[in-house]
Amino acid sequence: MEATEEVTSSSTEWITVSDPKEAGWLFSQDLLHSNRDSNSLFLSVDVRQDEEEQDRTLVTFYKTDDVRWTSPLRCKLQGDVATGSGVDRHMMSTVMFKLMSGFHINFGSAAIAKVFEGEPDHLIPSVSDDLLENNMFTVAGRMIGHSFLHRGPSVSGLSPAIIHILFGGSMETAPVTIRDCPDFDVRDTVTMLEGDDELKEFDAIHQLCLSYGLPAPNATNRKLLSEQLLVHAVIERTRRQINQFQKGLKETGLWPLLSRRRDVIPILFPRESEAQVTPQLILDRIVWPSCITVIFESYKIEDDDESDVTDVRRVSGYLETFIDKASPAELKSLIKFWIGWEVPATEMKVEIVEAPLPTASTCFEKLRLPRHYTEYRTFHQDLCACMSTCYSGFGCV
């Protein structure tokens, strides 16, 4: 792997274009293009290994120092026949899914390493010293920046206060709220200090303040003390994590874009609601069958007789019903099964085929649905079963 160098975009169109999404795309494309002749990065995961070994492979890849993250990316799933861009999308999706849900790696304090903790839209870096010592926040920054470069999934739901500090905002102006604090003992203490009632469990509150290097509460300082406790719990305790996070993000070459185009930051770190996939968004991008294509094992025929038209209408209708009724999580699973990751493609093709179960050609962004379904219940059951394979295997159905 090549040594890291200062990476900048040679084009300036991303600076003046009005749409921040287009600005991010232009910057990333130019950055990747300018490094197209660099030695490729190879990310290979053996799907025959257990989940812990697979997670260790992903983390080891992103823990490697002195890497040019803008180099061409080549991904491989050992033990699986799948190839092509669909594998790249699947791998990037898996990386981001693991980053949000946790890696099955025991760094000394827990069986699952969760880099972020807290509630949606108020996630903050974990205060685990084990994760800090293992540079997991640098890994997180590299993963997020790398996914953005390749138009992959984003990390949604980070605390606005953390994002504020990450991009150079001052602690005094950080929009910290009590929901940013994942420690419920601290939350309870802050709530009591903000009120006017007599303080209960004074010794416990005093001990907590002392542990944070703050004075004992009294009638005149309790309001200020509540603010200081919250800032300490959310910002000061995660300062080193944020510094690592920023370092990893910078190493992917995105910092000039994020410094110059602040309107791109919400795209890199969207709110939870902004990252949701809606039924209409998917339906608007589907390319439905224009004719009936029946695919057999050794040959293909095209026929427009009435029974074939009826089959395609019925099964297409089942898919539309599924999408209309699906939860946001089910919609993301469907898209990941369909194209390899949770980011909807501009065009997502549907084909009605002769087959026992639903399958997908992720490289061609095509969903193949069997024509034999005559009941929605059976269609729904089979599609859900096949969608679940996108987390346990790839190309296995």
Side-chain angles (χ1 to χ4, degrees):
M1 296 184 178
E2 298 182 29
T4 303
E5 298 177 6
E6 184 66 25
V7 184
T8 58
S9 171
S10 60
S11 171
T12 58
E13 188 179 355
W14 59 272
I15 299 175
T16 57
V17 68
S18 59
D19 183 7
K21 285 187 177 180
E22 186 177 357
W25 182 81
L26 288 170
F27 182 90
S28 299
Q29 287 299 109
D30 185 67
L31 205 55
L32 294 173
H33 181 75
S34 63
N35 288 274
R36 66 191 183 280
D37 295 326
S38 301
N39 293 335
S40 295
L41 302 177
F42 290 96
L43 176 54
S44 178
V45 172
D46 192 336
V47 298
R48 297 164 296 191
Q49 293 180 324
D50 61 28
E51 194 167 14
E52 180 178 350
E53 287 302 316
Q54 292 184 44
D55 286 3
R56 285 190 179 278
T57 298
L58 296 176
V59 169
T60 299
F61 178 79
Y62 283 100
K63 282 186 75 171
T64 306
D65 294 324
D66 300 324
V67 171
R68 187 188 294 273
W69 296 103
T70 50
S71 298
L73 177 65
R74 302 287 181 266
C75 297
K76 179 178 176 58
L77 294 172
Q78 299 178 52
D80 197 299
V81 297
T83 59
S85 59
V87 175
D88 297 342
R89 289 196 292 265
H90 170 78
M91 196 79 83
M92 195 61 68
S93 174
T94 300
V95 166
M96 299 304 285
F97 173 76
K98 292 291 186 178
L99 179 59
M100 294 302 295
S101 63
F103 298 95
H104 287 75
I105 302 175
N106 189 338
F107 285 115
S109 59
I112 296 180
K114 298 199 71 170
V115 178
F116 301 102
E117 58 184 355
E119 60 181 273
D121 286 339
H122 299 276
L123 296 172
I124 69 171
S126 169
V127 295
S128 165
D129 288 335
D130 293 320
L131 295 183
L132 194 63
E133 291 170 3
N134 280 278
N135 293 315
M136 285 301 293
F137 303 97
T138 303
V139 167
R142 291 168 179 170
M143 287 177 169
I144 292 170
H146 204 211
S147 182
F148 184 88
L149 282 172
H150 293 277
R151 306 190 75 182
S154 302
V155 164
S156 61
L158 284 190
S159 160
I162 297 299
I163 296 173
H164 175 83
I165 298 296
L166 179 64
F167 291 101
S170 68
M171 189 177 301
E172 291 73 25
T173 57
V176 181
T177 72
I178 196 166
R179 294 181 65 186
D180 293 322
C181 180
D183 189 326
F184 283 93
D185 289 336
V186 174
R187 283 194 186 193
D188 291 342
T189 301
V190 168
T191 300
M192 284 189 285
L193 288 171
E194 285 179 338
D196 297 320
D197 296 337
E198 182 180 351
L199 294 178
K200 299 177 182 179
E201 302 178 3
F202 181 87
D203 289 343
I205 296 174
H206 185 196
Q207 192 63 38
L208 178 62
C209 291
L210 284 177
S211 69
Y212 282 6
L214 298 172
N218 56 50
T220 58
N221 75 352
R222 57 189 291 175
K223 174 64 175 176
L224 177 61
L225 201 56
S226 71
E227 296 173 355
Q228 291 175 329
L229 270 175
L230 198 55
V231 168
H232 186 96
V234 176
I235 302 297
E236 292 185 0
R237 292 191 72 197
T238 62
R239 175 68 74 174
R240 289 188 297 163
Q241 287 87 334
I242 294 172
N243 289 341
Q244 271 195 15
F245 193 15
Q246 185 187 82
K247 174 179 178 292
L249 198 56
K250 284 183 174 180
E251 288 174 352
T252 64
L254 288 181
W255 208 253
L257 168 69
L258 301 171
S259 300
R260 190 72 177 263
R261 292 295 301 260
R262 309 285 290 191
D263 54 349
V264 176
I265 295 174
I267 299 172
L268 181 65
F269 297 111
R271 311 299 290 156
E272 191 79 13
S273 58
E274 294 166 355
Q276 295 293 347
V277 177
T278 65
Q280 195 57 52
L281 176 64
I282 298 177
L283 291 171
D284 287 344
R285 300 190 181 194
I286 291 179
V287 179
W288 298 98
S290 57
C291 64
I292 311 305
T293 305
V294 184
I295 301 180
F296 294 95
E297 201 170 289
S298 58
Y299 64 94
K300 181 172 74 174
I301 63 171
E302 293 189 1
D303 194 354
D304 289 321
D305 66 32
E306 186 174 346
S307 64
D308 287 342
V309 172
T310 300
D311 287 347
V312 83
R313 286 176 177 170
R314 182 182 63 255
V315 176
S316 296
Y318 288 164
L319 177 62
E320 187 171 1
T321 299
F322 179 89
I323 292 171
D324 278 332
K325 294 182 177 181
S327 67
E330 288 173 327
L331 290 176
K332 284 189 175 183
S333 292
L334 173 63
I335 298 171
K336 184 170 182 179
F337 176 72
W338 194 330
I339 64 175
W341 61 23
E342 304 91 330
V343 184
T346 304
E347 292 187 348
M348 297 164 58
K349 306 174 189 69
V350 173
E351 192 173 63
I352 309 303
V353 302
E354 198 72 51
L357 289 170
T359 57
S361 177
T362 56
C363 293
F364 297 101
E365 298 163 349
K366 183 180 293 183
L367 179 66
R368 295 191 173 102
L369 300 173
R371 60 182 298 182
H372 63 72
Y373 291 110
T374 57
E375 292 183 354
Y376 175 73
R377 180 181 62 82
T378 307
F379 172 86
H380 180 276
Q381 179 180 319
D382 286 356
L383 183 57
C384 286
C386 293
M387 282 162 43
S388 68
T389 64
C390 70
Y391 293 106
S392 60
F394 187 76
C396 299
V397 176

